[in-house]
Structure formats: structure tokens, C-alpha cells
Amino acid sequence: AQSVAQPEDQVNVAEGNPLTVKCTYSVSGNPYLFWYVQYPNRGLQFLLKYITGDNLVKGSYGFEAEFNKSQTSFHLKKPSALVSDSALYFCAVRDIDPQGTDKLIFGTGTRLQVFP
Amino acid sequence: KAGVTQTPRYLIKTRGQQVTLSCSPISGHRSVSWYQQTPGQGLQFLFEYFSETQRNKGNFPGRFSGRQFSNSRSEMNVSTLELGDSALYLCASSPSIGHMNTEAFFGQGTRLTVV
């Protein structure tokens, strides 16, 4: 089965500095990878996805992610962090199990804290 | 365009009771998926409905069931509630089935507390 790992429970960064939230994946075949963000007391919001094509994917709110096949990573990045970026970030991969169930498998989440 | 609407937002139930949660997808979306979010297990897929039929199902016991109506609105039912069912239940809508090319749009969730 496919899986994703988010090795950091929390990432702290100063406002204005670049940020990176890490995600590694384990898949058979070509991965379909996603990033979602969850603000307090809210549902998940889609940020970006990688299906195929350019390894650098640009998404909402100035976020981007780089797909690296050799390192099996899909790290989320932003050149200049904002305090309002503070939230819980989830990496996800599409999985089709042997029974044919098509679903998203989410990582455990990384809490991003941006300090003024 | 209205987003995904989940009702109620908060619910408190007693062990052994049953509960029904509702989800109205984005207009025109025909796929509705349900997820359970807990601190211990994270986000886990429950099932997906498309055109009133369950198309995908996660690894949850039969106490968890759902249905979808002709207007694409979906309900999720949990019978014989257990303390471990306390969670945030998220609904996601999508224009098409599965997760191949389209992103899912999530509702704000229903916070279920079982006491």
C-alpha cells in the first residue's frame, strides 16, 4: 500500500523567512501527491497536487512543492512565511488497494508555527 | 459558489446511541467522501459515494454506514456508538469519482463526542 510520512510534528519559522514542510512517500507506480492545510476548527483546504509533469508545483497562497523522485519526497515550501500561515499541514497520496478501493492516505500532519 | 456544508457542527451522544451526520456537497459535485479525524489515528477514509452508490469503502466496522441522495447530499450513520467514535468527521466533495485528477473540497466537519 501507498504511504506518506511527515517526519516533523512541528516546524517553527520566523515571519519573512522561507519555510519547508517535509513529506516523503512510498508508492508503487507513479504517485499522485497532495498537500492540504487545516486551520483551527476548520476542514481541510486543498493547496496543490502533483500528478505528472513539471516537478515544481505551484499552489494556493504562494505555496509550492517540489516532487523529487530519487529522494521520494514532496516537500512543501514558501519563500516568505506569514503569521497567517500558521496551521496544520497534511501531505496525502492517492492509494488504490488490492480490493480496488480508491482513497487518499494522509500523513500525520505537521504543525507550522510562524512567529512575528 | 457555496462550499461543502456539514450539519450539525457539534454533537454529543451517549454510548450505545446512534447518530446521523449530514453533508451537502458543492453544487454539481457528485462524489462525496467521508473521513474520520482523531488525534491518535489521524485522518482515515470511511467511504465514498457517487451517484447514490457506495463506490469505495475503508476499513471501518459495519456500524459505520452511509447513503447518498439523488441531489448528491450524503448522510453518514454510526450505530451503537462507542467512546472511540469521538472524532471530527469530515466530508469532502469532488466533481468525479476517486482521486485521480481532482482535488477534494472539504467541509468544516462535525465534532462528535461520545460520553
Side-chain angles (χ1 to χ4, degrees):
Chain A
Q2 329 286 44
S3 66
V4 289
Q6 294 181 245
E8 302 157 317
D9 289 336
Q10 180 153 332
V11 170
N12 299 317
V13 64
E15 188 175 33
N17 283 0
L19 69 88
T20 299
V21 183
K22 295 180 180 177
C23 173
T24 58
Y25 64 89
S26 174
V27 304
S28 53
N30 295 321
Y32 293 78
L33 296 160
F34 302 79
W35 274 103
Y36 283 85
V37 60
Q38 186 176 34
Y39 296 99
N41 300 314
R42 303 291 298 275
L44 274 69
Q45 294 181 32
F46 169 81
L47 281 177
L48 49 81
K49 65 183 177 186
Y50 173 83
I51 303 297
T52 187
D54 196 350
N55 289 344
L56 185 63
V57 179
K58 292 191 182 297
S60 307
Y61 313 120
F63 284 94
E64 58 188 27
E66 185 170 10
F67 173 69
N68 189 316
K69 190 171 184 177
S70 63
Q71 297 185 3
T72 62
S73 67
F74 189 57
H75 300 333
L76 182 70
K77 299 181 180 184
K78 188 173 182 181
S80 179
L82 299 172
V83 172
S84 57
D85 292 330
S86 299
L88 189 57
Y89 290 80
F90 291 94
C91 180
V93 65
R94 181 200 185 200
D95 173 66
I96 301 179
D97 67 19
Q99 290 73 41
T101 297
D102 185 343
K103 62 185 180 293
L104 287 178
I105 293 180
F106 288 86
T108 50
T110 298
R111 187 163 301 282
L112 173 66
Q113 190 71 48
V114 181
F115 295 95
Chain B
K1 201 175 194 181
V4 178
T5 303
Q6 290 188 247
T7 56
R9 290 291 312 279
Y10 302 92
L11 208 49
I12 300 175
K13 288 287 187 178
T14 305
R15 268 184 304 173
Q17 286 187 313
Q18 74 164 12
V19 67
T20 299
L21 312 181
S22 178
C23 173
S24 293
I26 290 173
S27 178
H29 286 193
R30 295 166 64 192
S31 166
V32 173
S33 296
W34 289 89
Y35 290 83
Q36 181 196 64
Q37 185 178 20
T38 60
Q41 299 297 319
L43 277 154
Q44 293 187 288
F45 173 76
L46 281 155
F47 30 65
E48 178 186 16
Y49 283 84
F50 184 85
S51 294
E52 303 177 62
T53 303
Q54 187 181 90
R55 302 303 182 104
N56 291 289
K57 187 177 187 305
N59 297 321
F60 277 80
R63 299 186 297 106
F64 291 82
S65 64
R67 59 177 175 170
Q68 187 179 34
F69 302 93
S70 58
N71 61 358
S72 293
R73 188 178 72 85
S74 176
E75 288 183 347
M76 189 190 88
N77 184 275
V78 188
S79 62
T80 319
L81 283 165
E82 300 176 0
L83 295 179
D85 297 333
S86 296
L88 180 66
Y89 289 89
L90 293 167
C91 159
S93 82
S94 178
S96 57
I97 190 173
H99 302 89
M100 185 171 176
N101 282 316
T102 57
E103 64 270 21
F105 294 82
F106 284 78
Q108 292 183 288
T110 294
R111 171 77 60 188
L112 172 65
T113 302
V114 182
V115 297

